[in-house]
Amino acid sequence: MMAKAQTQSREKIHEQIRQACVDFIEQIYPDQSKIVVFGEGNLSAKLMLVGEAPGEQETLRQRPFVGSAGKNLDRFLELVHLEREALYITNTVKFRPTKRNEKTGRLSNRPPEREEVLLCTRFLREEINLVSPRVIASLGNVALRALAGDRRLTIGAEHGRPRPCQMAGGGVEFILFPLYHPASVIYNNKLKETYEQDVAQLAQYLKERM
């Protein structure tokens, strides 16, 4: 009974954080109809994944890591021998950063700007404090820098190197495990072996310590 009450309490707080994020983004971008894609998953997860930002499919379905990103996630889960339901999955930036092609008028993804990251940092911190994971795997430079609070870090130098971490502003402590973003493997096949080695190292780390 107590466990059920705790779960319901966490779900209520999670919804409050999500709604606060939606209201905040609407206030900051009143004329842009930004669609918030908030984190989801096990609110008591030992492992949290933090990506960069939602893409087109994530925005359409309002869920993180679906579409092509979801296929990458499936491969990740296979390597660490975990189910999606065991994780909490979110992004650093809670809405899709886009650029418009001047010739076709079509929107495409772009890397988040620093201001966009700073706007969403508060909500990422609140997600982490709610879930209280032991390990957070950052996917790519944007998540790595936001979590560590250091814009000088690069995934090329930090990948596969776990470190104790706490987000600026206070909150729970966790082990930050930097990984290349799975999408980077699509654009640079040379990273595939490195990425899979790092994920295997993460799986071993989880097995030994969790």
Side-chain angles (χ1 to χ4, degrees):
M1 185 69 71
M2 185 177 294
K4 183 178 180 181
Q6 290 176 340
T7 299
Q8 291 174 339
S9 176
R10 283 174 178 260
E11 290 173 350
K12 182 177 180 180
I13 295 170
H14 184 263
E15 175 56 25
Q16 290 171 345
I17 299 171
R18 187 198 69 80
Q19 189 58 55
C21 181
V22 170
D23 294 343
F24 179 71
I25 298 302
E26 286 181 352
Q27 196 174 43
I28 297 296
Y29 301 100
D31 303 318
Q32 297 188 38
S33 300
K34 298 283 188 184
I35 296 175
V36 168
V37 179
F38 209 65
E40 66 173 29
N42 185 345
L43 297 179
S44 300
K46 302 287 194 301
L47 173 64
M48 178 185 287
L49 300 185
V50 179
E52 181 175 287
E56 181 180 19
Q57 288 301 312
E58 287 75 20
T59 301
L60 289 172
R61 296 169 61 180
Q62 295 186 40
R63 294 189 65 200
F65 286 85
V66 293
S68 59
K71 293 178 182 178
N72 293 330
L73 177 62
D74 290 342
R75 177 58 178 155
F76 172 88
L77 294 173
E78 181 183 335
L79 290 168
V80 296
H81 310 293
L82 289 172
E83 300 291 331
R84 182 173 177 132
E85 291 73 20
L87 312 178
Y88 184 86
I89 305 168
T90 192
N91 281 298
T92 307
V93 174
K94 307 304 187 189
F95 54 87
R96 182 189 180 196
T98 60
K99 58 184 178 182
R100 188 176 297 276
N101 186 303
E102 294 182 0
K103 294 182 179 179
T104 65
R106 294 187 62 182
L107 293 177
S108 60
N109 300 333
R110 61 166 172 77
E113 297 172 355
R114 186 186 179 200
E115 179 185 1
E116 294 167 330
V117 173
L118 293 174
L119 286 173
C120 295
T121 297
R122 160 194 159 192
F123 302 104
L124 176 58
R125 185 189 303 112
E126 291 185 16
E127 287 178 287
I128 293 169
N129 288 343
L130 174 63
V131 178
S132 193
R134 294 185 188 178
V135 178
I136 298 180
S138 61
L139 307 179
N141 280 318
V142 171
L144 168 63
R145 292 166 181 168
L147 290 163
D150 189 343
R151 295 177 61 211
R152 298 168 299 178
L153 297 180
T154 65
I155 194 61
E158 302 296 327
H159 70 92
R161 298 172 58 188
R163 60 161 73 190
C165 191
Q166 182 184 46
M167 282 194 73
V172 300
E173 296 182 354
F174 54 89
I175 297 299
L176 175 61
F177 202 106
L179 297 171
Y180 281 101
H181 197 289
S184 64
V185 178
I186 298 174
Y187 305 112
N188 184 356
N189 196 51
K190 293 179 181 179
L191 291 176
K192 182 177 180 181
E193 183 177 353
T194 300
Y195 172 74
E196 293 194 352
Q197 287 175 349
D198 289 346
V199 174
Q201 183 183 341
L202 171 60
Q204 185 63 31
Y205 186 92
L206 296 173
K207 182 179 179 181
E208 293 174 353
R209 293 168 176 81
M210 293 170 60

CSV table of all heavy atoms in Angstrom, one decimal, residues 65 67-82 84 182 195:
chain,number,residue,atom,x,y,z
A,65,PHE,N,12.5,9.8,-27.9
A,65,PHE,CA,13.2,8.7,-28.5
A,65,PHE,C,12.2,7.7,-29.2
A,65,PHE,O,12.1,6.5,-28.8
A,65,PHE,CB,14.0,7.9,-27.5
A,65,PHE,CG,15.3,8.7,-27.2
A,65,PHE,CD1,15.3,9.7,-26.2
A,65,PHE,CD2,16.5,8.5,-27.9
A,65,PHE,CE1,16.4,10.5,-26.0
A,65,PHE,CE2,17.6,9.2,-27.6
A,65,PHE,CZ,17.6,10.2,-26.7
A,67,GLY,N,10.6,6.9,-33.4
A,67,GLY,CA,11.1,7.1,-34.8
A,67,GLY,C,12.5,6.5,-35.0
A,67,GLY,O,12.8,5.5,-34.4
A,68,SER,N,13.3,7.2,-35.8
A,68,SER,CA,14.7,6.7,-36.0
A,68,SER,C,15.5,6.7,-34.7
A,68,SER,O,16.3,5.8,-34.4
A,68,SER,CB,15.4,7.5,-37.0
A,68,SER,OG,15.5,8.9,-36.6
A,69,ALA,N,15.2,7.6,-33.8
A,69,ALA,CA,15.9,7.7,-32.5
A,69,ALA,C,15.4,6.5,-31.7
A,69,ALA,O,16.2,5.9,-30.9
A,69,ALA,CB,15.5,9.0,-31.7
A,70,GLY,N,14.2,6.0,-31.8
A,70,GLY,CA,13.7,4.9,-31.1
A,70,GLY,C,14.4,3.6,-31.5
A,70,GLY,O,14.7,2.7,-30.7
A,71,LYS,N,14.8,3.5,-32.8
A,71,LYS,CA,15.5,2.3,-33.3
A,71,LYS,C,16.9,2.3,-32.7
A,71,LYS,O,17.4,1.3,-32.3
A,71,LYS,CB,15.6,2.4,-34.8
A,71,LYS,CG,14.3,2.2,-35.5
A,71,LYS,CD,14.4,2.3,-37.0
A,71,LYS,CE,13.1,2.1,-37.7
A,71,LYS,NZ,13.2,2.3,-39.2
A,72,ASN,N,17.5,3.5,-32.5
A,72,ASN,CA,18.8,3.6,-31.9
A,72,ASN,C,18.7,3.2,-30.4
A,72,ASN,O,19.6,2.5,-29.9
A,72,ASN,CB,19.3,5.0,-32.0
A,72,ASN,CG,19.7,5.4,-33.4
A,72,ASN,OD1,20.1,4.6,-34.2
A,72,ASN,ND2,19.6,6.7,-33.7
A,73,LEU,N,17.6,3.6,-29.8
A,73,LEU,CA,17.4,3.3,-28.4
A,73,LEU,C,17.2,1.8,-28.2
A,73,LEU,O,17.7,1.2,-27.3
A,73,LEU,CB,16.1,4.0,-27.9
A,73,LEU,CG,15.7,3.7,-26.4
A,73,LEU,CD1,16.8,4.1,-25.5
A,73,LEU,CD2,14.4,4.4,-26.0
A,74,ASP,N,16.5,1.2,-29.1
A,74,ASP,CA,16.3,-0.3,-29.1
A,74,ASP,C,17.6,-1.0,-29.1
A,74,ASP,O,17.8,-2.0,-28.3
A,74,ASP,CB,15.4,-0.8,-30.2
A,74,ASP,CG,14.0,-0.3,-30.1
A,74,ASP,OD1,13.6,0.0,-29.0
A,74,ASP,OD2,13.3,-0.4,-31.2
A,75,ARG,N,18.5,-0.6,-29.9
A,75,ARG,CA,19.9,-1.2,-30.0
A,75,ARG,C,20.6,-0.9,-28.7
A,75,ARG,O,21.3,-1.8,-28.2
A,75,ARG,CB,20.6,-0.6,-31.2
A,75,ARG,CG,22.1,-1.1,-31.3
A,75,ARG,CD,22.1,-2.6,-31.4
A,75,ARG,NE,23.5,-3.0,-31.6
A,75,ARG,CZ,23.9,-4.2,-31.3
A,75,ARG,NH1,23.1,-5.1,-30.8
A,75,ARG,NH2,25.2,-4.6,-31.5
A,76,PHE,N,20.5,0.3,-28.1
A,76,PHE,CA,21.1,0.6,-26.8
A,76,PHE,C,20.6,-0.4,-25.7
A,76,PHE,O,21.4,-0.9,-25.0
A,76,PHE,CB,20.8,2.0,-26.5
A,76,PHE,CG,21.2,2.4,-25.1
A,76,PHE,CD1,22.5,2.9,-24.8
A,76,PHE,CD2,20.3,2.3,-24.0
A,76,PHE,CE1,22.9,3.2,-23.5
A,76,PHE,CE2,20.7,2.6,-22.7
A,76,PHE,CZ,22.0,3.1,-22.5
A,77,LEU,N,19.3,-0.5,-25.7
A,77,LEU,CA,18.7,-1.4,-24.7
A,77,LEU,C,19.1,-2.9,-24.8
A,77,LEU,O,19.3,-3.6,-23.8
A,77,LEU,CB,17.1,-1.3,-24.7
A,77,LEU,CG,16.5,0.0,-24.4
A,77,LEU,CD1,15.0,0.1,-24.7
A,77,LEU,CD2,16.8,0.4,-22.9
A,78,GLU,N,19.3,-3.3,-26.1
A,78,GLU,CA,19.7,-4.6,-26.3
A,78,GLU,C,21.1,-4.8,-25.8
A,78,GLU,O,21.4,-5.9,-25.2
A,78,GLU,CB,19.7,-4.9,-27.8
A,78,GLU,CG,20.2,-6.3,-28.2
A,78,GLU,CD,20.2,-6.5,-29.8
A,78,GLU,OE1,19.4,-5.7,-30.4
A,78,GLU,OE2,21.0,-7.3,-30.2
A,79,LEU,N,22.0,-3.8,-25.9
A,79,LEU,CA,23.4,-3.9,-25.5
A,79,LEU,C,23.5,-3.9,-24.0
A,79,LEU,O,24.4,-4.6,-23.4
A,79,LEU,CB,24.2,-2.7,-26.1
A,79,LEU,CG,24.4,-2.8,-27.6
A,79,LEU,CD1,25.0,-1.5,-28.1
A,79,LEU,CD2,25.4,-3.9,-27.9
A,80,VAL,N,22.6,-3.1,-23.3
A,80,VAL,CA,22.7,-3.1,-21.8
A,80,VAL,C,21.8,-4.1,-21.1
A,80,VAL,O,21.7,-4.1,-19.9
A,80,VAL,CB,22.4,-1.7,-21.3
A,80,VAL,CG1,23.4,-0.7,-21.7
A,80,VAL,CG2,21.0,-1.2,-21.7
A,81,HIS,N,21.0,-4.9,-21.9
A,81,HIS,CA,20.1,-5.9,-21.4
A,81,HIS,C,19.1,-5.3,-20.5
A,81,HIS,O,18.8,-5.9,-19.4
A,81,HIS,CB,21.0,-7.0,-20.7
A,81,HIS,CG,22.1,-7.5,-21.5
A,81,HIS,ND1,22.0,-8.2,-22.6
A,81,HIS,CD2,23.5,-7.4,-21.3
A,81,HIS,CE1,23.2,-8.5,-23.1
A,81,HIS,NE2,24.1,-8.0,-22.3
A,82,LEU,N,18.4,-4.3,-20.9
A,82,LEU,CA,17.4,-3.6,-20.1
A,82,LEU,C,16.1,-3.4,-21.0
A,82,LEU,O,16.2,-3.3,-22.2
A,82,LEU,CB,17.8,-2.3,-19.5
A,82,LEU,CG,18.9,-2.3,-18.4
A,82,LEU,CD1,19.4,-0.9,-18.1
A,82,LEU,CD2,18.3,-3.0,-17.2
A,84,ARG,N,12.9,-0.9,-21.9
A,84,ARG,CA,12.6,0.5,-21.8
A,84,ARG,C,11.8,0.9,-20.6
A,84,ARG,O,12.1,2.0,-20.0
A,84,ARG,CB,11.8,0.9,-23.1
A,84,ARG,CG,11.5,2.4,-23.1
A,84,ARG,CD,10.8,2.9,-24.4
A,84,ARG,NE,10.5,4.3,-24.4
A,84,ARG,CZ,10.8,5.2,-25.3
A,84,ARG,NH1,11.4,4.8,-26.4
A,84,ARG,NH2,10.4,6.4,-25.2
A,182,PRO,N,23.4,8.2,-30.0
A,182,PRO,CA,23.2,7.1,-31.0
A,182,PRO,C,23.1,7.6,-32.4
A,182,PRO,O,23.5,6.9,-33.3
A,182,PRO,CB,21.9,6.4,-30.5
A,182,PRO,CG,21.9,6.7,-29.0
A,182,PRO,CD,22.5,8.1,-28.9
A,195,TYR,N,31.1,3.5,-29.8
A,195,TYR,CA,29.9,3.6,-29.1
A,195,TYR,C,29.5,2.3,-28.5
A,195,TYR,O,29.1,2.3,-27.3
A,195,TYR,CB,28.8,4.1,-30.1
A,195,TYR,CG,27.4,4.0,-29.5
A,195,TYR,CD1,27.0,5.0,-28.6
A,195,TYR,CD2,26.5,3.0,-29.9
A,195,TYR,CE1,25.7,5.0,-28.1
A,195,TYR,CE2,25.2,3.0,-29.4
A,195,TYR,CZ,24.8,4.0,-28.5
A,195,TYR,OH,23.5,3.9,-28.0
